[in-house]
Each structure stands twice: as C-alpha cells, then as structure tokens.
Amino acid sequence: MRLFGRKDADEGAGRQGEAIAGFWTWWQETRPRLDSLVASGETGDLEELLAPAVSAVDPGLVWEVAPGKEAAHALVVTAAGDAELRSLAHRWVKAAPPADLLWEFHPSRQANPRAGELTLDVGGLTFGLDRLTLGLRVPRNQARVDVAAYHPIFGELDEDTRLESALLALDWLLGEDDVARWVGEITAVTFEPIDAVAAVHLPAVVADVASGASGAGDDEYVLMEGQTGGAALVATARYPLRPVDHPLCDRHIAITLPYAHRDDDGLPAGDSVTALRDFEERLAARLAKRRDEAVIAVHLSADGHRVVHVYADPAGDAVTHAEELAAGWDEGEPRVDVAHDPAWTAIAPFLT
C-alpha cells in the first residue's frame, strides 16, 4: 500500500490548532478590557484590539460583534462565504470558552429576526433591508433558491459593492450557513425584477424548499455515468452533498483500489464487484461509529480502478481506518492520498 500526503496535512492542522489556542489565550487575558469597551460603546478601540487578534488566526477571517441570542453580545468570526476558511472558523468556535451572560460565540453570521429593520451605510448611501426586494427562482428538481437582489441604491454602486451588500443582507435574513445550504446563484441587479417580493419573505420561501428536500437523507445516493479520457466512468455520490453540512471535515482521503475483474468498458465485474462492495461496507461501518467525523462522499470507477473519496475531521481516526482496510486489499496495490481540502475541490462536480 502507498500512502501520500498525511504528514503535510497533519502539520497544517497543527499550525491551525496553535493559532486558535493563541487567540483564546489572548481572549482570556484581554477579556476585562473588551468587556469595558462594549459596555462603553467604544467601537474604535474594540476594533484595534480584535482585528489583529483575529487576523493572527487567519487574515481572511471576518469578525463582528452582534447582539447575542442568549448573551448580551455575540462575537462572530466567520469565513464570510470563503469555503477554504469555513472549517477554521468552526474549529475556532469549538475551542471557545462556554458562553456567559455577556459573550457568546459563532463561526458564521446568524439570522437576525429583526433583519427588516436593519440599515447599513454603503458608500455614503443608506442600505435598508426594508427597501430590498428579491426575484426568486427555484430551478426544477433542485433544492435551492436563485436570488436576484434589488435595492434603489444599487444603480449608484459598482458591481462588487452591490454584490457584497446583497450577500450581507442574505446572511442577516437567513444566517450564513443556510445561505450556503439553500441559496444558489446570487445576482445584485439595478432594475427591479418583475416578480420581486420583499426581502423579509425569503426565509419562508427557503423553509418551503427545505421541507420539500427533507427526504434527501444522509444515506441517499445518486448514480451517474459518463466518460473520462474516452473511458467509461460510473460514479455514486451522496445526496445532498454540501461541505457546509460537515464543516470540520476538511481532510480529503482518496482511496484508490485497482480491481482485477473488469468488463469491456473497464468497469468492475464478477468477483471485483463483490470485493469492492465489501470494502466500502466495512469502511462505512467503521466510520459510522462517529458519524460527525467523516463522510464517504463519492466513489468513482473507471479503467480498472475505483477511487473512494472520504472527507474527515483530522481529529478523528478516518485515515487510520482507510490505511488498515486498504492494506488488506488483494487485487493490486492500493493507494491512500491525504490532503487538506476544506472547499472539497477534489469532488467539486458532485457537490449539490
């Protein structure tokens, strides 16, 4: 058996852990000063303290202090839609101290029940959600909502600023994770769509779409057929398949199994079908003991090889299970590749 990439992935996870631990040590030391600043409303000084501390974890993370759900204040440190950083934000919050009366912590923007009353200064203009309208489209056979956002000030803004404002508004309306989960294409337009509705209706529309997709459970799969390099390919993908549903599973484990028995198209046949099924059943049984730590996402068969794609939390034992099971494969030399892949780029064509 050949194993590639585990050392580099472990080193990367170690550096993340050190950065997160450093932030929470700083938080405990600086907490009295932070409490005093939020009590006095001195937001400028608060930014001077928090900005470099969050940037030390990763410069791409975005932070904000918002009203808490249970505590007086919420510190939100978010990837702001960057799939590469989502797992880091979730590890940051996992290491946080328990919430108390003053502070709670979130790795993504939370839905605000009073979103329709919120306003934001955008380039010197008032961006109020009470004047935001949305054109909504649910593509056929797709569990998502495509959004065309319109606000009267959009005609005076450049395209990037319009889109940033629309994305922030959607986060306030739905919560950042549900935007990633249920919203598809997002555009910010300068003319109001003919069928536009007030933005405050978006949560109800998304809830309706989500309820219709509730039958797509963790154990459902989609079978696909195609070609790669002129050879036949068959893939089976979990449905739905969304990184946001498994935020700590940023370690990609690709298990390549050559099979001895194949048909004229290079696909598994005879005893190899049974052996491959048995391998995946044993792998699934091991991973099922800690379902939140790993997910078998996709497997592909082509040209005499099956590749099983697993995404896992580095803190778990998924790599060890993959190595142990692959070592017993007797139809050729197996290979296990391990890499850091928080955006699940290796299986991008199969994401829901």
Side-chain angles (χ1 to χ4, degrees):
M1 181 192 70
R2 293 176 291 169
L3 173 66
F4 297 86
R6 183 172 185 175
K7 180 180 178 181
D8 290 341
D10 286 344
E11 290 176 351
R15 287 191 295 270
Q16 275 193 0
E18 291 173 2
I20 291 169
F23 176 92
W24 289 116
T25 298
W26 169 88
W27 175 267
Q28 297 292 0
E29 294 171 350
T30 316
R31 172 71 189 268
R33 175 67 173 150
L34 295 168
D35 291 355
S36 175
L37 290 174
V38 295
S40 65
E42 298 177 33
T43 56
D45 290 344
L46 187 67
E47 181 170 354
E48 287 184 8
L49 285 173
L50 276 169
V54 173
S55 183
V57 179
D58 191 281
L61 293 172
V62 175
W63 69 272
E64 61 184 47
V65 175
K69 294 181 176 180
E70 303 294 335
H73 307 285
L75 176 60
V76 178
V77 172
T78 170
D82 186 344
E84 291 285 341
L85 296 176
R86 183 182 290 120
S87 58
L88 177 60
H90 279 263
R91 288 201 174 86
W92 169 86
V93 83
K94 189 175 181 181
D100 54 33
L101 292 176
L102 193 59
W103 289 102
E104 62 189 48
F105 309 97
H106 300 287
S108 58
R109 294 189 180 101
Q110 305 297 293
N112 189 322
R114 302 180 64 181
E117 303 172 19
L118 300 178
T119 61
L120 182 70
D121 182 278
V122 178
L125 302 172
T126 299
F127 177 64
L129 267 67
D130 59 336
R131 301 186 67 191
L132 181 70
T133 59
L134 307 174
L136 305 176
R137 185 175 69 91
V138 180
R140 186 176 181 181
N141 298 324
Q142 296 289 325
R144 75 167 199 250
V145 181
D146 292 337
V147 176
Y150 168 78
H151 193 279
I153 70 169
F154 279 0
E156 302 180 54
L157 303 174
D158 62 77
E159 183 177 356
D160 288 343
T161 304
R162 290 198 304 268
L163 185 57
E164 288 175 8
S165 302
L167 288 170
L168 181 58
L170 296 182
D171 288 347
W172 284 343
L173 289 161
L174 289 178
E176 186 179 335
D177 287 349
D178 270 352
V179 171
R181 191 171 285 118
W182 301 112
V183 177
E185 182 179 356
I186 303 170
T187 55
V189 297
T190 55
F191 294 93
E192 187 170 25
I194 295 174
D195 56 353
V197 299
V200 294
H201 296 304
L202 179 62
V205 174
V206 167
D208 186 56
V209 171
S211 66
S214 61
D218 286 345
D219 294 321
E220 292 196 9
Y221 294 85
V222 177
L223 178 66
M224 290 165 275
E225 298 179 354
Q227 288 193 328
T228 176
L233 177 148
V234 172
T236 301
R238 186 179 292 268
Y239 182 85
L241 188 57
R242 299 174 294 220
V244 70
D245 293 334
H246 309 276
L248 296 179
C249 294
D250 56 1
R251 174 162 292 184
H252 176 226
I253 308 166
I255 309 165
T256 302
L257 304 173
Y259 46 83
H261 307 281
R262 65 181 82 175
D263 61 18
D264 293 340
D265 293 321
L267 299 176
D271 290 343
S272 291
V273 173
T274 302
L276 290 167
R277 184 185 301 117
D278 178 66
F279 178 90
E280 291 192 20
E281 287 177 351
R282 286 186 288 130
L283 178 62
R286 289 198 182 195
L287 299 182
K289 295 177 182 178
R290 298 292 296 273
R291 292 177 66 89
D292 58 335
E293 290 185 356
V295 56
I296 300 175
V298 179
H299 69 68
L300 304 93
S301 298
D303 197 25
H305 293 79
R306 172 163 292 182
V307 183
V308 182
H309 294 274
V310 177
Y311 279 85
D313 183 343
D317 299 323
V319 174
T320 299
H321 293 314
E323 293 170 9
E324 291 176 354
L325 290 173
W329 185 254
D330 60 4
E331 294 195 21
E333 184 178 10
R335 171 174 173 151
V336 178
D337 291 276
V338 181
H340 180 65
D341 184 15
W344 294 21
T345 56
I347 58 167
F350 303 98
L351 298 181
T352 302

